[in-house]
């Protein structure tokens, strides 16, 4: 059974940093795109960042560009999200997602991701 398990969420003050990790099991995702999404209270889930299988190509939402960095370790079947300069608008449940194949440009559409984690809460206080 395929599982994606996120960790690293928590409470942080504005301006602080957190690092989220996602560990995959049940199959390898070393040749597929992976991404992070988030859902704030009362809002729809939105794209945050995505990464190609090689880790060379990354894609970010404008709201996090320059503050967040996505990376992956194919040997460990993990993907991470380093979040710096956090602000209260970043408060949300963060989800890890994995596609079934690689894409030329790491996708931002939810519909292309076949596997999802259960989410980890990130709360940024002002």
């Amino acid at each position: 059974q395929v599982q994606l398990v996120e960790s690293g969420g928590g409470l942080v003050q504005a301006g602080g940093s957190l690092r989220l990790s996602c560990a995959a099991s049940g199959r390898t995702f070393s040749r597929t795109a992976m991404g992070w999404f988030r859902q704030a209270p009362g809002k729809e889930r939105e794209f945050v960042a995505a990464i190609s299988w090689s880790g060379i190509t990354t894609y970010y939402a404008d709201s996090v560009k320059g503050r967040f960095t996505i990376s992956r370790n194919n040997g460990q079947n993990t993907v991470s999200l380093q979040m710096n300069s956090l602000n209260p608008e970043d408060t949300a449940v963060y989800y890890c997602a994995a596609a079934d194949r690689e894409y030329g440009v790491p996708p931002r559409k939810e519909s292309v991701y076949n596997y999802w984690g259960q989410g980890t809460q990130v709360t940024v206080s002002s």
Side-chain angles (χ1 to χ4, degrees):
Q1 182 178 357
V2 176
Q3 279 192 314
L4 300 178
V5 179
E6 301 96 338
S7 61
L11 174 64
V12 63
Q13 288 188 334
S17 299
L18 281 175
R19 184 176 180 85
L20 305 183
S21 294
C22 173
S25 61
R27 63 161 281 182
T28 179
F29 292 101
S30 60
R31 290 286 180 173
T32 76
M34 298 189 75
W36 287 92
F37 291 76
R38 68 185 182 185
Q39 186 168 21
K43 295 186 178 181
E44 294 187 351
R45 189 157 57 186
E46 64 175 3
F47 169 78
V48 175
I51 189 167
S52 63
W53 74 269
S54 65
I56 293 176
T57 305
T58 56
Y59 188 38
Y60 297 93
D62 289 343
S63 59
V64 307
K65 201 174 296 183
R67 300 187 298 123
F68 291 12
T69 302
I70 187 172
S71 60
R72 66 189 299 164
N73 185 322
N74 289 336
Q76 295 183 352
N77 220 19
T78 60
V79 63
S80 299
L81 186 68
Q82 177 67 42
M83 307 185 295
N84 299 328
S85 301
L86 286 161
N87 58 62
E89 290 69 39
D90 295 316
T91 294
V93 177
Y94 283 72
Y95 298 90
C96 169
D100 258 337
R101 65 177 182 89
E102 177 54 19
Y103 291 81
V105 174
R108 62 182 300 156
K109 285 186 175 181
E110 285 189 44
S111 58
V112 305
Y113 290 92
N114 305 94
Y115 305 97
W116 293 83
Q118 81 290 349
T120 185
Q121 177 70 47
V122 171
T123 304
V124 185
S125 63
S126 57

